[in-house]
Structures are given as C-alpha cells and as structure tokens.
Amino acid sequence: MIQNHDPNLIVITRDEANSRHVDDLVKRQMSLRGEPGVTRSSGRAWYYQNWLVLSVVGALGALAAWALIEPVYDDMIYFQGTVSELDWNDSPASGELQAGREVRLLEAVEGSLRIRGEKIYLLGRLKELDARGAARLVDYTGIKDGDTIGLYLEHLGGSREDLNVALYLVRSPPPQPAERAKFTIGQLSARSGAAGMLVFALVAGMIGLFIGAADGIVCRLPRRALLAGGVGLLVGVVGGFICSMIANVVYTPLSDLAMRQMERSTAGLGSFGFLVQMFGRSFAWCVAGLAMGLEQGIALRSKRLLLYGVLGGVLGGVLGGLLFDPIDLIMLGPDKPSAHWSRLCGFVAIGLCVGGMIGVVELLTRDVWLRMTQGPLTGKEFLLFKDVMAIGSSPRSDIYLFNDPQVAKQHALLRAVGDECEIEARDGSIPVLLNDRAVQRARLRHGDSITIGRTVFVFQRRKG
C-alpha cells in the first residue's frame, strides 16, 4: 500500500497491468499503426493451411484417378497363352505398313509365332523379363511350341490387316483371370486406346472433385462439398477432355520428335529428346490444369476464386508436367513394359502441384480474410471471396459456425464497402463483439478481434 502519495500520481496495480484489457488496448494501438505481430497466434493449426489441404486432396484425387484408369490402360498390350506355329523365317510382307515409326520397328523381325490364334512378330531385340522385372535379350533357342509365355506387344495398323509386334517376353507367367483371358489383342488395344483418350479428363475430373469438396468437408458443409465437388468433377471431365484435344495438337508432334531422336540415339532418349518430351508434357498438363482449377469459382460464383483457381491450376500443371518425365525416365528407368508406377508418381505430383499452387496463389494475392484464433477450426483462414458473406449456425452460411448454441442462424454479415470491409450484426438479441465491445455495425481494421459466440476471429488485410 502506498500512503501519502501525490493525488495527481496515477497508480497501476500488478493485476491491472497484467489484465487482458490492457493487452487488448495495446493490440488496438498496434493495429491502428499497422504493425505486424498483432495477429500472431500461438494456437495456429498448421494443418488447416489452405495450400497444404489442397495439396493433399489434389494428390488423393490423382491417386483415385490412377486407380480407376490403370486396370484398363496399357502402355503395351499384355497377351499370354500357349505357343503354336513358331516360324523363324516369317516377316511382314513388303509394303505391309506405311512409312514411319512402324517400319523402323519392324526392320529387325526374327520371326513369328501364334498364341490363341493371334500372329505375333518377334523382334531381334526382344527382351525377356525375369522375376525381378530386369530385362535382358531373349535366347530364342529356348522358345518352343507348346510353351506358355506372356508377351508385351504393340498393336500396329497395317495396310491390309493389323500387326502385332512383341517387345518383351515373360516365361512361365502365372495364370490370368478368366475375364482378362477372353479378350483378343484387338479388343485389348481398343480398350486401352479408349482409356488413353480419357486419361486427361479422368485425372482433371478427380482432382477437381477432391479440391472442390475439400473446403466444404473441412468446414462441415456437406451441401457445399457436394456442390463444389460435383462442379469440380463435371468441369474437370469436360474441360480435361477438351483440353486434351488442344494439348495433343502440340504434344503429339513433340512426342514423335522425341521418339525419333531416341531411335537414332544408341543411348536411348538423349538430352534433346528428353527436354522436348518434358516441354510437350508440361504444356499438355498446363492446359489440363486450367480445367482443374475452375471448380470453386464456378460453384461459389466468385470471380476471385475463379482467378485463383485458373492461375494455380495452370502453374501446378506446368510444374507437375515437368516432373512427370524425370520421375518416369530417371527415377524408375526407361527399360520397362509398363509405366504404371511412374504414372502413379507423375499423377500424384500433378495433383500435389495443382492443389498446392491454387493455395499458394490464393495466399499471395488475397486482400482480406479472417483467421480463426479460437473455435473448432482454430488456425483456419477464411478468404472473403464475395462482396457479402454470411456468418452463422446455418449450413447455408458462407462461414459456418457449428455446434455453438450462442450463434444465430444468420448471426452477422461481412460486407465489402469500396476498399474497406464492415461487419453487421443480424440478430439484435445475440451480440457481435468487436475488440470485446458489442457493435451493430462497424468498419474493420487490420488486427481487429471479432467474437461470435465461442468463436474468435482476427480480421487481416494484405499490406499495401
């Protein structure tokens, strides 16, 4: 206790100095001066960061697309059965094929055999795969009538009939499922060709579905998840199909150029061909990424989200496309009949990049947003993507505050007024607290604390 003190002296006790009210006043002054650090929170949940969430769900969408397409898509047709009519002197008739890659492929045919009535030509550079998947040149003396073998082959269009050319051989393969064993080579080729035409559409659609539904799932908004996810699936499939046709106009000649360079090179795909292949695929996935990023903006009718999605999708497609071939040709090696594992890694890389870049573009270009510092989604940031956004306990709200009896169905509105933002209470019986003071309507400043029920937000604005 202080006795006989000057009446003009202001005395502050320890409890008063340490009170929350003083902290709020200090933060308010810092906010008015535009100082950083006001909005920092030790309780920030890193796993609610939008770029991280979208990266993960984009990868999961790509994984789902791979799981759907892989059973019916073949890099090379696999066909197995018992060898019959083995003929080492057989070769395609002159003029059987038009000029091009097919002619070069058949220049060194060693002979032919039949499996289940299908004639298959054997190349001089036919390779045998061992149990570990390693390839070595075939010893033809070991192939006899009556052997059960499997062949990875290409189905080529001839002038009179289609030709089958084996590139890899598997000795004593395990029995095939009965359903698969019923298909002819032509049927397998047609099925794989149709699946190949849908690869872009399916990958774009599944990534769009998962990215579109992500925010609704995180925010416990099934209606938004279904709407945005459904739009993402539809836009991704249709847009991906259209984009694939556009991309193929550029990608196909570049891919053919890379293949021709590889066939001229004794070391396989040289550096020039590799770069050409990377550029072509990057362009193709860049165009497909455009379709993957549209769903949120279309579903929620937001120009901002549409812009973020388009930019992020294009950038993510470019990055993912650039990673695809290094994964395939460097990490997993080029000498293999099937690229299913490299395709898995490539698709996942594209999903990661597209989702992540949509989140990064949003992070770098957003103007105003709310960050939840106390509540069920502590650490999540809510972008103010429309001129008027509702906050409340109704699932139809733009920001849904669930499981809180202190929140009205439509508790407050956030409204853009020129370059500023206002908050307005909609239910007079339940207040909106701005910096711990009840308000009916107020202009928001960077660092302001907004309390609605048991949830606390911090209003944030990008500097400049």
Side-chain angles (χ1 to χ4, degrees):
M1 178 179 290
I2 300 176
Q3 296 180 348
N4 301 322
H5 62 273
D6 187 342
N8 295 320
L9 183 65
I10 298 176
V11 179
I12 301 176
T13 67
R14 181 183 296 273
D15 290 341
E16 290 173 333
N18 293 328
S19 69
R20 180 181 175 186
H21 179 64
V22 173
D23 291 339
D24 291 339
L25 290 176
V26 171
K27 288 183 178 182
R28 179 67 171 168
Q29 290 299 316
M30 293 174 67
S31 172
L32 292 174
R33 293 195 297 269
E35 295 182 14
V38 184
T39 58
R40 293 175 184 170
S41 171
S42 59
R44 183 169 182 164
W46 58 270
Y47 46 81
Y48 281 130
Q49 298 304 296
N50 211 31
W51 63 268
L52 178 61
V53 172
L54 295 183
S55 295
V56 172
V57 299
L60 291 175
L63 177 62
W66 177 84
L68 290 172
I69 203 74
E70 206 58 37
V72 294
Y73 179 72
D74 297 306
D75 299 278
M76 297 180 187
I77 305 302
Y78 179 75
F79 195 70
Q80 78 174 49
T82 302
V83 175
S84 62
E85 298 185 30
L86 188 58
D87 185 353
W88 295 114
N89 297 315
D90 192 14
S91 63
S94 176
E96 183 73 24
L97 293 171
Q98 299 176 354
R101 175 174 178 270
E102 291 84 356
V103 171
R104 292 191 296 275
L105 188 64
L106 291 171
E107 284 177 349
V109 168
E110 288 289 323
S112 69
L113 53 74
R114 286 187 180 273
I115 293 178
R116 288 161 45 193
E118 304 260 16
K119 177 185 279 193
I120 302 170
Y121 289 100
L122 305 175
L123 291 183
R125 54 187 173 90
L126 179 69
K127 294 182 179 180
E128 180 179 343
L129 299 174
D130 62 22
R132 297 173 299 173
R136 64 175 183 271
L137 289 176
V138 167
D139 177 8
Y140 285 101
T141 61
I143 302 177
K144 299 180 176 60
D145 284 342
D147 287 350
T148 298
I149 62 172
L151 294 171
Y152 287 95
L153 54 89
E154 289 198 16
H155 187 64
L156 306 176
S159 58
R160 294 191 296 272
E161 63 178 348
D162 292 344
L163 302 178
N164 308 306
V165 182
L167 300 174
Y168 293 90
L169 177 144
V170 179
R171 295 186 188 274
S172 304
Q176 278 188 304
E179 188 65 28
R180 170 90 181 193
K182 291 190 300 185
F183 287 107
T184 65
I185 294 177
Q187 290 170 335
L188 290 171
S189 179
R191 186 178 72 160
S192 182
M197 293 178 61
L198 296 175
V199 166
F200 270 76
L202 185 59
V203 173
M206 295 306 293
I207 292 176
L209 168 64
F210 278 60
I211 289 177
D215 195 62
I217 293 172
V218 170
C219 296
R220 316 297 201 273
L221 290 168
R223 180 176 176 272
R224 181 187 296 182
L226 289 173
L227 174 62
V231 170
L233 177 63
L234 179 62
V235 171
V237 168
V238 175
F241 186 74
I242 295 173
C243 290
S244 70
M245 292 188 290
I246 298 172
N248 279 334
V249 173
V250 174
Y251 175 70
T252 299
L254 288 175
S255 180
D256 289 343
L257 176 61
M259 288 294 102
R260 288 196 297 271
Q261 194 275 339
M262 180 182 70
E263 289 166 6
R264 289 194 297 267
S265 172
T266 57
L269 189 62
S271 58
F272 173 73
F274 183 71
L275 291 175
V276 169
Q277 182 85 348
M278 282 181 60
F279 174 79
R281 201 181 304 271
S282 181
F283 174 82
W285 284 109
C286 164
V287 177
L290 178 68
M292 301 179 205
L294 293 173
E295 77 292 323
Q296 284 274 45
I298 294 175
L300 301 180
R301 301 178 183 179
S302 168
K303 293 181 180 178
R304 289 193 187 102
L305 293 181
L306 193 65
L307 176 62
Y308 300 155
V310 168
L311 290 176
V314 167
L315 291 173
V318 169
L319 291 175
L322 288 174
L323 290 172
F324 197 102
D325 285 294
I327 290 172
D328 182 27
L329 299 176
I330 296 176
M331 293 178 61
L332 301 176
D335 197 5
K336 56 188 183 300
S338 175
H340 56 280
W341 292 120
S342 58
R343 193 159 38 248
L344 168 62
C345 296
F347 286 174
V348 169
I350 288 167
L352 279 169
C353 290
V354 169
M357 289 308 300
I358 291 174
V360 168
V361 168
E362 175 190 306
L363 182 68
L364 295 177
T365 60
R366 62 189 180 179
D367 295 317
V368 290
W369 64 97
L370 297 180
R371 179 161 56 83
M372 187 181 291
T373 58
Q374 183 177 319
L377 300 176
T378 296
K380 178 166 174 55
E381 296 173 336
F382 297 85
L383 181 69
L384 305 189
F385 59 87
K386 294 194 301 187
D387 290 338
V388 179
M389 291 182 59
I391 304 175
S393 62
S394 169
R396 293 180 177 272
S397 302
D398 296 297
I399 300 177
Y400 173 43
L401 303 182
F402 47 89
N403 297 332
D404 190 343
Q406 300 177 27
V407 178
K409 286 189 175 182
Q410 192 178 67
H411 198 109
L413 290 180
L414 289 166
R415 183 179 285 108
V417 182
D419 293 333
E420 302 296 328
C421 189
E422 292 182 347
I423 190 166
E424 176 186 349
R426 300 295 290 172
D427 190 327
S429 63
I430 310 178
V432 171
L433 301 182
L434 181 63
N435 299 315
D436 292 330
R437 293 186 180 181
V439 296
Q440 184 62 36
R441 172 181 273 183
R443 187 68 54 90
L444 295 173
R445 296 181 177 86
H446 178 73
D448 279 346
S449 173
I450 302 167
T451 304
I452 297 176
R454 295 194 293 257
T455 302
V456 180
F457 299 97
V458 170
F459 176 78
Q460 297 185 281
R461 179 183 294 277
R462 184 163 58 93
K463 290 183 180 180

